[in-house]
């Protein structure tokens, strides 16, 4: 993703193009833009609004409604700590706390300053049989214990 | 495809994949090739077998030998011993938690022998990416039969007669729902599959989508024919990338084969299907919110009426059913409604898939006929509580559901029986909790979830859940007040009555049922500032029993805040001012000398 | 995937696919070949190939070809067992590949045990 060199407005226009004149495109467009840049840059939002004729306020309304969308840059690796019921009763809070302390994140921070990791608790990733579990990017780590956390994190640079 | 003497099935469900089943698959294929067996033996990647606890799972047919916890080096041994020489690798056979005798055959496992797998019949048995394998299991026969032999009205009648009810939680008669949509006038209608499985602790839909995607497609095509729709959407959570991938592949394959698209099977019936990826909002599991989301709006529920059957997606008559409901349709039409109605109990017919999780030995997916008791599910199929601890409750129905206790163990499962006991069928999450789980903490956990996921459109849900959560937090931190219990009941009842959609109408359930059955735990928190389960950190103290401590220093090393001091071979001591009550020392102590109370 | 344009074609595809996944059914006609070290050394693999070939040639469905380890009758290897549903298992021994087609035809298909090659009935 050499996004820094890419022209945000142009890339966004290309993403919007196939949806012109069609209904129901807003969420797929936002998903694609985010896939491209890792988050939704302001400039892209303005471009989407101009291209689709959907009010900027409405776009932000949608973007802030869904947990999937992010308005700030995120880390290279996303750590999703499952906080589902099955994981909860098998100790996922301890796992979450350990991840936070390993990454030395302060209260309210979700991304490490070096943009290596972003952490987000998720409701359930549907791997309850392996509780407690954590997804790093697309890889699921199951049957975790607090002690396994540093090892797991060390795999991602 | 060619004929092979032996089929080796490797589970490619999410549970097994994260346990490394991809590597196992690769190793098996390499080993088979290296030994020149690739003309005789085929390796197939299947969907979830349901027994996630024992993954990665490998089954060797025709013998039906069931291997568990298979690692790549074990795969080599399976090739060298079993496939080449016919010697079963005893070491890898499944061992029942209660006995240590190995049980080698798939169908003999108690985990499976008590189940009736209708909905899950293909999961773990066929390659979900293969249309041919689905067809081999009578796939698309029901669609063909319906299109050539039945009128749309007859299909609706059959579904009604089968007694099938919404498996997403509502429990409304599927046939009735179809009838409303079928009778709704208009040339353009939609059928929608709700695959936004958001209940924490539920993953049956995920396994169905991953393990048998064509069954959903066939069910939707039949529904579309019955209701006069020609277009459909599957709204799937973005958190399920594998399910989305397999759905897209199965749609492409079915279109190529002429089983979806224009003029299906030469009958003139058209049906196109799209997959929409969700964007992470629990409330989108509610049908009107889901339709808003497909339209690209904020996923907020709409007031009903008008019901979706009259005015749904893009303002057109629409019908939404969840994944498991759709998955039952083709089989009902293939075997006939009587066949389906034959299973079940009282007004709940057929089977239900449960995601059995929590403190139970065999976690996984379980399908049982309605009317099976909780005891059979937890103790016979689930193999009882981990570590022989005491059963306390099952939480059923997720954040909209409630708790059932020991007194309900022999309750036959049905929509009505669960509702009467204060729980709901819900989507089928069944979380087992033992004596170490605090019920107040559990209620708080669910309310944190619903409060966070409340869309904010209506006030009772938005403000009410927040207030309830504040009270629960207060109680678990030792600041509970005497009037809190009454306030929780009052607020909960009001929120249930006044909320706009299912989320708010059910959000107080976890609190209300735990209050009903575990009021004494709330009272202990409020009056005695004590957590009986030893789970609420603000209310516990961790101490070392000097009589049991031998001074091994393990706890000193485990403590993250250096709160434990002591000399080697002398009893240690915890500095209560420093202790953060994380329990790390309790976990590492080999002598059970550390108490958490 | 060729287009399926009517019910007949769907049924044909089903029958073909069923035959190809037949190995996953249990409780049917079985051919079991001894492939322990002794069986392999005595040429058991050739016997198995002959059996698979014969089954394919005759287009037999619902027959599984299984392998098993050493059953302790090493002097009689290669061994092959035939099981018909509801009938006792019969073990043949000292086989050569050319014996196989006859056993498949007479016993497996027609139910007449080929007595001169039988060395035992284990069950």
């Amino acid at each position: 993703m050499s996004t820094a060199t890419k022209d945000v407005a142009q890339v966004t226009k290309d993403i919007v193009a196939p949806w012109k004149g069609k209904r129901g495109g807003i969420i797929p467009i936002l998903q694609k833009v985010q896939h491209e840049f890792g988050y939704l840059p302001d400039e892209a939002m303005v471009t989407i609004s101009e291209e689709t004729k959907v009010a900027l306020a409405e776009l932000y309304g949608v973007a802030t409604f869904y947990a999937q969308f992010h308005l700030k840059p995120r880390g290279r690796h996303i750590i999703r700590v499952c906080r589902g019921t099955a994981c909860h009763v098998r100790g996922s809070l301890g796992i979450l706390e350990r991840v936070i302390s390993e990454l030395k994140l302060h209260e309210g921070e979700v991304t490490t300053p070096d943009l290596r990791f972003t952490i987000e608790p998720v409701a359930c990733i549907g791997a309850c049989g392996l509780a407690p579990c954590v997804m790093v990017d697309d890889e699921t780590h199951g049957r975790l214990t607090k002690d396994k956390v540093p090892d797991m994190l060390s795999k991602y640079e | 495809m060619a004929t092979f003497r032996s089929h080796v099935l490797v589970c490619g469900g999410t549970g097994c994949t994260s346990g490394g089943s991809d590597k196992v698959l690769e190793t098996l294929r390499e080993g088979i090739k290296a030994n020149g067996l690739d003309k005789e033996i085929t390796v197939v990647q299947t969907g979830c077998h349901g027994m996630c606890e024992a993954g990665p799972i490998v089954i060797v047919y025709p013998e039906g030998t069931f291997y568990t916890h298979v690692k790549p080096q074990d795969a080599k041994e399976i090739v060298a011993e079993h496939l080449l020489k016919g010697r079963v690798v005893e070491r890898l056979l499944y061992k029942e938690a209660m006995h240590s005798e190995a049980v080698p055959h798939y169908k003999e496992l108690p985990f499976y022998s008590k189940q009736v797998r209708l909905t899950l019949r293909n999961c773990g048995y066929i390659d979900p990416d293969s249309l041919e394998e689905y067809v081999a299991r009578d796939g698309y026969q029901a669609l063909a039969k319906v299109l050539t032999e039945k009128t749309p009205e007859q299909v609706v009648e059959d579904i009604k007669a089968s007694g099938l009810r919404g498996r997403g939680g509502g429990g409304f008669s599927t046939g009735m729902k179809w009838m409303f949509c079928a009778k709704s006038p208009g040339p353009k209608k939609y059928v929608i599959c709700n695959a936004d499985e958001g209940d924490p602790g539920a993953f049956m839909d995920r396994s169905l989508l991953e393990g048998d995607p064509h069954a959903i497609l066939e069910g939707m095509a039949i529904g579309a024919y019955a209701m006069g729709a020609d277009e459909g959407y599957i709204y799937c959570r973005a958190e399920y990338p594998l399910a989305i991938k397999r759905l897209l592949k199965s749609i492409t394959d079915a279109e190529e084969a002429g089983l979806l698209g224009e003029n299906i099977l030469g009958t003139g019936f058209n049906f196109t299907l799209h997959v929409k990826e969700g964007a992470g909002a629990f409330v989108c599991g509610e049908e009107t919110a889901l339709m808003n989301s497909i339209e690209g709006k904020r996923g907020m529920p709409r007031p009903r009426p008008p019901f979706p059957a009259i005015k749904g997606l893009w303002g057109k008559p629409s019908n939404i059913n969840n994944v498991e409901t759709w998955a039952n349709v083709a089989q009902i039409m293939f075997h006939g409604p009587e066949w389906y109605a034959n299973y079940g109990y009282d007004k709940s017919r057929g089977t239900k898939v449960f995601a059995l999780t929590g403190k139970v030995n065999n976690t996984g997916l379980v399908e049982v006929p309605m009317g099976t008791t909780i005891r059979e599910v937890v103790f016979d199929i689930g193999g009882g509580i981990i570590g022989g601890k005491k059963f306390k409750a099952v939480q059923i129905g997720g954040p909209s559901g409630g708790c059932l206790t020991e007194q309900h163990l022999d309750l036959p499962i049905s929509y009505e029986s669960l509702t009467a006991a204060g729980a709901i069928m819900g989507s089928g999450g069944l979380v087992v909790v033992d004596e170490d789980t605090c019920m107040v903490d559990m209620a708080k956990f669910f309310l944190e979830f619903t409060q966070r996921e409340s869309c904010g459109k209506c006030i009772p849900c938005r403000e009410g859940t927040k207030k309830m959560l504040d009270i629960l937090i207060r109680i678990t931190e030792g600041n509970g007040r005497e009037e809190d219990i009454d306030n929780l009941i009052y607020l909960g009842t009001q929120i249930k009555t006044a909320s706009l959609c299912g989320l708010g109408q059910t959000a107080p359930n976890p609190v209300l049922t735990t209050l009903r059955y575990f009021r004494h735990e709330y009272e202990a928190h409020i009056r005695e500032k004590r957590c009986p389960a030893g789970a609420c950190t603000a209310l516990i103290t961790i101490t070392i029993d000097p009589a049991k401590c031998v001074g091994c220093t393990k706890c000193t090393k485990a403590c993250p805040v250096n709160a434990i001091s002591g000399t080697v071979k002398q009893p240690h001591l915890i500095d209560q001012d420093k202790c953060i009550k994380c329990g790390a020392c309790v976990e590492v102590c080999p002598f059970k000398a550390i108490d958490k109370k | 995937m060729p287009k399926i344009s009517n019910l007949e074609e769907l049924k044909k595809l089903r029958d073909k696919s069923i035959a190809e996944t037949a190995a996953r059914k249990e409780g049917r006609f079985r051919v079991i070949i001894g492939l322990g070290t002794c069986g392999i050394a005595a040429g058991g693999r050739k016997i198995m190939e002959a059996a698979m070939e014969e089954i394919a040639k005759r287009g037999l469905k619902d027959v599984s070809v299984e392998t098993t380890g050493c059953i302790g009758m090493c002097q009689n290897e290669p061994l092959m067992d035939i099981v018909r549903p509801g009938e006792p298992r019969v073990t043949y021994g000292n086989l050569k590949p050319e014996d196989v087609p006859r056993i498949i035809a007479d016993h497996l298909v027609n139910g007449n045990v080929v007595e001169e090659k039988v060395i035992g009935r284990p069950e």
Side-chain angles (χ1 to χ4, degrees):
Chain A
M1 264 197 314
S2 56
T3 49
T5 56
K6 271 189 206 164
D7 179 353
V8 172
Q10 191 50 50
V11 171
T12 308
K13 274 184 193 166
D14 292 345
I15 291 172
V16 176
W19 284 97
K20 281 203 165 173
K22 284 191 196 158
R23 297 178 302 181
I26 295 302
I27 291 172
I29 289 169
L30 292 177
Q31 282 169 334
K32 271 208 158 163
V33 169
Q34 176 158 300
H35 185 76
E36 196 64 39
F37 302 106
Y39 72 111
L40 299 171
D42 287 346
E43 196 185 341
M45 296 294 276
V46 173
T47 311
I48 298 170
S49 172
E50 283 165 357
E51 293 292 305
T52 58
K53 309 282 178 237
V54 172
L56 198 54
E58 197 178 319
L59 278 185
Y60 273 103
V62 172
T64 52
F65 184 82
Y66 295 99
Q68 193 191 37
F69 298 121
H70 306 281
L71 303 173
K72 282 191 188 144
R74 308 208 313 144
R76 291 187 295 282
H77 304 285
I78 310 298
I79 308 172
R80 295 187 174 86
V81 181
C82 182
R83 292 288 289 128
T85 325
C87 288
H88 178 73
V89 300
R90 285 200 185 179
S92 66
L93 187 60
I95 305 286
L96 178 65
E97 286 167 353
R98 184 63 185 263
V99 172
I100 291 173
S101 76
E102 283 295 317
L103 299 182
K104 303 189 176 62
L105 289 171
H106 298 101
E107 178 96 38
E109 271 182 357
V110 292
T111 303
T112 53
D114 59 357
L115 290 185
R116 183 174 160 213
F117 287 114
T118 290
I119 177 170
E120 60 182 37
V122 293
C124 181
I125 57 177
C128 316
L130 300 169
C133 56
V134 166
M135 243 174 121
V136 183
D137 301 333
D138 281 341
E139 208 175 334
T140 315
H141 301 266
R143 300 194 185 100
L144 280 175
T145 58
K146 283 182 253 180
D147 294 342
K148 289 187 189 162
V149 169
D151 246 13
M152 175 188 83
L153 295 177
S154 69
K155 286 188 203 154
Y156 303 90
E157 261 324 304
Chain B
M1 269 165 88
T3 308
F4 294 94
R5 75 166 162 90
S6 174
H7 291 222
V8 181
L9 273 48
V10 181
C11 182
T14 297
C16 286
T17 311
S18 65
S21 72
D22 281 355
K23 272 266 158 54
V24 170
L25 181 91
E26 208 176 291
T27 314
L28 283 169
R29 285 208 171 123
E30 278 165 11
I32 285 170
K33 194 129 196 252
N35 285 291
L37 300 170
D38 48 335
K39 294 253 155 50
E40 306 163 15
I41 301 173
T42 181
V43 183
V44 182
Q45 185 168 37
T46 69
C48 181
H49 289 83
M51 203 170 187
C52 311
E53 184 69 34
I57 286 167
V58 171
I59 305 180
V60 180
Y61 281 104
E63 299 91 330
T65 311
F66 193 87
Y67 291 122
T68 59
H69 298 294
V70 180
K71 298 193 182 62
Q73 59 268 35
D74 301 329
K76 280 185 195 154
E77 198 175 333
I78 292 176
V79 174
E81 286 295 304
H82 190 152
L83 301 181
L84 202 57
K85 298 177 193 155
R87 288 197 290 239
V88 170
V89 186
E90 300 276 346
R91 181 173 67 77
L92 298 172
L93 293 178
Y94 170 74
K95 287 182 185 61
E96 238 190 293
M98 288 178 289
H99 318 279
S100 47
E101 252 172 71
V103 192
H105 291 284
Y106 191 30
K107 55 181 183 187
E108 291 166 15
L109 303 179
F111 180 76
Y112 292 110
S113 61
K114 282 246 171 180
Q115 296 191 44
V116 175
R117 291 167 84 89
L118 307 181
T119 322
L120 296 173
R121 69 191 187 108
N122 289 332
C123 284
Y125 189 87
I126 63 167
D127 174 357
D129 277 339
S130 164
L131 174 66
E132 287 94 334
E133 292 205 7
Y134 179 66
V135 170
R137 302 278 283 168
D138 297 317
Y140 290 105
Q141 297 287 330
L143 177 64
K145 182 171 147 188
V146 160
L147 293 183
T148 52
E149 295 171 14
K150 298 215 175 222
T151 64
E153 293 76 26
Q154 284 172 327
V155 179
V156 172
E157 283 309 313
D158 278 359
I159 294 295
K160 261 203 232 166
S162 74
L164 177 65
R165 294 165 68 177
R167 293 289 189 257
F172 191 78
S173 158
T174 305
M176 294 293 279
K177 200 166 172 178
W178 285 22
M179 190 187 73
F180 294 138
C181 184
K183 288 200 171 154
S184 189
K188 183 76 190 175
K189 294 180 191 174
Y190 295 96
V191 289
I192 301 167
C193 173
N194 183 349
D196 191 45
E197 183 175 55
D199 276 14
F203 57 100
M204 58 289 293
D205 292 349
R206 167 181 210 151
S207 296
L208 274 168
L209 295 163
E210 289 177 1
D212 197 11
H214 282 287
I216 321 287
L217 271 46
E218 189 181 1
M220 290 185 75
I222 292 170
Y225 173 75
M227 287 174 268
D230 64 351
E231 204 174 344
Y233 284 91
I234 300 174
Y235 185 90
C236 186
R237 301 178 78 186
E239 288 90 337
Y240 288 179
L242 186 60
I244 292 171
K245 198 179 114 209
R246 294 208 171 134
L247 278 173
L248 291 171
K249 162 119 175 79
S250 60
I251 291 175
T252 311
D253 289 351
E255 277 172 354
E256 261 177 45
L259 297 165
L260 280 183
E262 303 270 298
N263 192 17
I264 295 171
L265 290 166
T267 59
F269 171 64
N270 306 327
F271 181 57
T272 49
L273 201 46
H274 317 277
V275 175
K276 273 273 172 173
E277 226 177 277
F282 176 68
V283 71
C284 288
E286 201 279 336
E287 58 182 21
T288 58
L290 186 150
M291 290 188 290
N292 271 343
S293 183
I294 292 181
E295 292 178 13
K297 301 179 190 149
R298 287 167 72 99
M300 288 177 162
R302 307 170 181 172
R304 293 174 298 184
F307 285 91
I310 310 296
K311 212 172 161 211
L313 185 63
W314 314 113
K316 303 280 185 266
S318 308
N319 178 73
I320 298 194
N321 286 119
N322 102 314
V323 174
E324 196 183 331
T325 315
W326 286 120
N328 276 307
V329 169
Q331 290 198 76
I332 292 173
M333 296 314 295
F334 183 76
H335 296 285
E338 308 77 23
W339 167 83
Y340 191 77
N342 213 15
Y343 294 96
Y345 171 81
D346 198 25
K347 284 183 226 148
S348 303
R349 310 314 306 174
T351 57
K352 174 80 190 96
V353 184
F354 291 99
L356 183 62
T357 58
K359 307 268 184 79
V360 63
N361 278 310
N362 301 331
T363 56
L365 272 197
V366 171
E367 181 174 356
V368 289
M370 297 281 189
T372 305
T373 64
I374 307 270
R375 186 188 301 279
E376 287 172 286
V377 174
V378 175
F379 288 92
D380 297 346
I381 297 171
I385 311 297
I386 296 179
K389 293 221 171 183
K390 197 169 176 305
F391 169 87
K392 184 170 190 173
V394 286
Q395 207 288 340
I396 184 164
S400 328
C403 288
L404 299 176
T405 66
E406 204 161 4
Q407 71 184 86
H408 302 111
L409 275 177
D410 293 307
L411 189 75
I413 299 171
S414 75
Y415 288 98
E416 282 74 21
S417 70
L418 292 181
T419 310
I424 60 161
M425 183 78 78
S427 54
L430 224 159
V431 185
V432 179
V433 299
D434 66 7
E435 52 192 312
D436 294 340
T437 308
C438 167
M439 300 316 279
V440 187
D441 177 65
M442 179 109 172
K444 184 183 82 175
F445 166 81
F446 279 117
L447 217 66
E448 268 171 6
F449 177 81
T450 35
Q451 192 270 323
R452 190 172 62 235
E453 294 293 344
S454 171
C455 79
K457 185 166 179 165
C458 72
I459 298 153
C461 176
R462 184 183 70 221
E463 299 299 325
T465 54
K466 181 87 184 82
K467 285 290 160 231
M468 283 182 82
L469 180 60
D470 287 346
I471 296 176
L472 288 171
I473 292 174
R474 185 156 82 209
I475 294 175
T476 54
E477 286 178 350
N479 302 318
R481 302 173 198 154
E482 196 56 42
E483 70 272 17
D484 279 348
I485 291 179
D486 288 338
N487 281 341
L488 281 174
I489 295 172
Y490 175 75
L491 263 170
T493 321
Q494 297 298 321
I495 295 168
K496 276 173 77 107
T497 325
S499 292
L500 178 63
C501 82
L503 195 155
Q505 287 159 10
T506 58
N509 284 352
V511 182
L512 295 177
T513 60
T514 46
L515 267 171
R516 180 160 157 192
Y517 298 117
F518 298 96
R519 195 181 171 113
H520 53 278
E521 290 197 17
Y522 283 81
E523 287 166 352
H525 282 77
I526 295 172
R527 292 178 193 160
E528 302 161 37
K529 313 291 173 208
R530 182 175 68 86
C531 173
C536 296
T537 44
L539 300 180
I540 54 170
T541 356
I542 298 180
T543 48
I544 299 175
D545 181 351
K548 286 188 192 159
C549 178
V550 301
C552 73
T553 74
K554 271 202 169 169
C555 54
T556 327
K557 289 178 196 121
C559 181
V561 290
N562 297 322
I564 306 178
S565 57
T567 337
V568 185
K569 295 192 178 160
Q570 294 294 322
H572 283 46
L573 195 70
I574 300 176
D575 180 345
Q576 296 299 339
D577 293 334
K578 281 190 190 166
C579 176
I580 55 166
K581 300 165 187 174
C582 69
C585 51
V586 184
E587 281 168 35
V588 296
C589 179
F591 306 99
K592 296 198 168 25
I594 308 182
D595 268 343
K596 195 162 85 166
K597 261 184 196 144
Chain C
M1 160 76 50
K3 198 136 184 136
I4 304 165
S5 45
N6 57 49
L7 193 54
E8 268 319 295
E9 288 175 25
L10 181 65
K11 284 203 168 124
K12 253 185 232 156
L13 177 66
R14 176 180 62 172
D15 292 345
K16 180 170 158 277
S17 304
I18 286 177
E20 284 161 356
T21 52
R24 284 177 230 169
K25 282 216 190 88
E26 293 167 46
R28 326 162 274 131
F29 294 89
R30 297 164 73 197
V31 177
I32 305 154
I33 289 138
L35 282 185
T37 309
C38 46
I40 294 173
R45 186 152 291 283
K46 284 253 165 357
I47 301 296
M48 190 185 73
E49 282 163 13
M52 283 183 67
E53 201 184 307
E54 191 60 25
I55 288 163
K57 214 193 283 172
R58 291 175 171 271
L60 300 180
K61 284 170 193 161
D62 271 5
V63 179
S64 68
V65 180
E66 301 169 31
T67 63
T68 183
C70 177
I71 55 166
M73 291 197 285
C74 311
Q75 75 278 14
N76 291 322
E77 291 280 3
L79 294 167
M80 178 171 82
D81 291 11
I82 299 285
V83 186
R84 288 166 53 90
E87 291 177 25
R89 175 168 175 165
V90 176
T91 304
Y92 294 94
N94 302 309
L95 294 177
K96 294 190 186 61
E98 49 271 31
D99 299 325
V100 173
R102 201 175 126 217
I103 296 173
I104 300 277
D106 289 4
H107 186 178
L108 189 72
V109 178
N110 295 314
N112 303 317
V113 177
V114 184
E115 291 295 346
E116 77 257 32
K117 286 282 169 190
V118 172
I119 58 160
R121 288 180 169 82
E123 286 157 14

